[in-house]
Structures are given as C-alpha cells and as structure tokens.
Amino acid sequence: MQRLRASAVAVRKALCVAHRKTGRWESTCPRINTASDIRKVLQDDASMPSSSEHVNWWQRHATDDQQREWTEQNSRRPAEKVGKCAYDLGLRVIPNVVTDSEVAVLMGDVEKKLHRMRYSEAHFDQVISGYRELHRRDWTPACSNILARLKAHPLLATQHSINQDVHVLDLAEHGEIGAHVDSIKFVGPVIAGVCVLSPAVVRFEEEDGDDVVEALIQPNTMYIMSGAIRYKYTHAVTDSTFTWNDSPPLHRTRRISFMFRAPEP
C-alpha cells in the first residue's frame, strides 16, 4: 500500500512539473490523490492481461461504427469543400482510449528524462520546431500493459510488425509540426498516436488536389492514419489557439504523443 501511495504521488508530481509554467494544472492534469486511483494501472507481470483480452477491449469499446461516428464528430472541412468523409480516407479519431490515471503512469515513466532535455528548434528535415523526443523500448510493467492494449487496435494488429520502440514526441506550447507526409523509407502503411495533456487540431491537405480536412484531437485520444490520408495528404499541427464549431477558443499548451508505426514492407 505504501508503494502504491508513493507511485501516485510521483506521477501526480510529474504532471504538475509538466504544467507548472502554463498555469493550467487543474484543468489538464488528472487528480490522483490515493493509491486506489491507480491500483488497477500499477500491475505486476503476473496480472497483465493476455493479448486476446486486449483485442476484446477494442471489440467492446470501439466498434467500427463507433469509430466512424467519433471520427466524423471530430473532423471537418472548410465550408466550401466537399469530399469523402475522413473515415473513408483512412483517418480514425478515437477518444478516451486511456484514462487520466493511465496517462499519469505513462508520464511518470518518461517525464524525468524529458525534463532533462532541451526543446529543439530545428528538426533534421526542418518539419518540427519546439520539440523534444525519445524512442523508448523498455517500459515498466504497467506502461507495457497500457501500450500493448493500444497496439492491439485492429489496424495496427493486422500489420506484420510494429516497431518495438515507442516514439514519444513532446511538442512545446510554441512548437509546430509543419505540413509533411511521413517518408516511406522509415514508416509503413499505418501511423498511430495517442495524444495527451492538451487539445490540438491536425490539418490534412491533399498533395495533388485542393481537399482539406481538419481533425480535433482531444487529450487521451488516439488518431490513426492509413490509406489515402496517410499517403496522399500532408498533416500538420500549427495553430496554438483555435475554435472548434461553436466552442469557446481552445488553447494548445504542451502536447505529448505516444506514437506507433508499422515499417514499410
């Protein structure tokens, strides 16, 4: 019990540090006050679910019809644009794939290392600014359990292999991801990410046309790109302040993505 309480305090402190400069701690960080809040998350190897249980989780919580509905609810086109729905282009937007307590556990495993790194203003391909990143293969049992469930999504599970390293991308409040299509040299037909800490709008623009699709990615949401949206549309994250339909202005602060990629066959 004491170990669980210590873990709860540690992950809560990690997220507090992450948002100390934004002044938005209370609205963006999960409250974890007791060990019972994360008892089900902090598991040892003996109690980790099987791969079939992870698959069943997706079947129960995110059917194809539900994923279509969520994707359409969280995507839009400029008023003058008409085209295929985002789901049929290969985009998936799936909210609440992780709980706040699970986010806290994941952050507790990476925040210490990220906090020692400086934000870089120039990526080697000049696409990203205001970011820091790491590639992680060795995780605590609790984190491994969470990540294994996320990788069990049918679009990822049908790939021959998923890179074992999870790409953790930490985008600062002032950071941007410019429009790009991921190179087929490094990335295969499916790209997935779970975004936490703050909302963002991802803008997709057709490379050989004029179609535009925007997707709202709320915290704790998974997005998946495959098919046309993967190969024929650029994607970008630029605006730090935006509105979505009739909502009041939303503000993107620090945003972290846990990303999974299938290598090109």
Side-chain angles (χ1 to χ4, degrees), residues 131-162:
Y131 77 100
R132 50 193 179 186
E133 62 183 343
L134 57 88
H135 294 265
R136 186 79 173 268
R137 177 169 298 192
D138 297 321
W139 297 83
T140 64
C143 289
S144 295
N145 178 34
I146 298 166
L147 297 170
R149 189 189 73 230
L150 298 173
K151 291 179 182 180
H153 184 282
L155 279 176
L156 291 169
T158 55
Q159 300 304 306
H160 293 296
S161 64
I162 296 293

Side-chain angles (χ1 to χ4, degrees), residues 46-62:
S47 62
M48 288 182 67
S50 66
S51 58
S52 62
E53 289 177 293
H54 289 315
V55 171
N56 290 338
W57 186 91
W58 283 106
Q59 293 173 346
R60 293 194 309 271
H61 294 279

Side-chain angles (χ1 to χ4, degrees), residues 13-27:
K13 182 178 179 181
L15 285 178
C16 181
V17 170
H19 287 264
R20 185 167 49 197
K21 295 182 180 180
T22 69
R24 297 178 177 85
W25 197 116
E26 291 297 331
S27 63

Side-chain angles (χ1 to χ4, degrees), residues 189-260:
V190 179
I191 303 169
V194 175
C195 300
V196 303
L197 301 189
S198 74
V201 168
V202 181
R203 182 179 176 88
F204 300 91
E205 297 187 9
E206 191 177 18
E207 279 204 299
D208 297 321
D210 61 357
D211 191 24
V212 176
V213 177
E214 292 181 330
L216 175 63
I217 311 298
Q218 292 278 18
N220 302 8
T221 293
M222 172 181 269
Y223 70 92
I224 303 176
M225 298 183 294
S226 64
I229 209 80
R230 153 70 179 101
Y231 289 110
K232 297 182 180 180
Y233 286 70
T234 63
H235 58 279
V237 177
T238 54
D239 295 336
S240 59
T241 301
F242 52 90
T243 58
W244 189 262
N245 299 336
D246 297 325
S247 73
L250 300 172
H251 192 70
R252 171 173 61 82
T253 58
R254 183 190 182 202
R255 171 182 179 262
I256 291 183
S257 300
F258 298 85
M259 303 183 68
F260 319 106

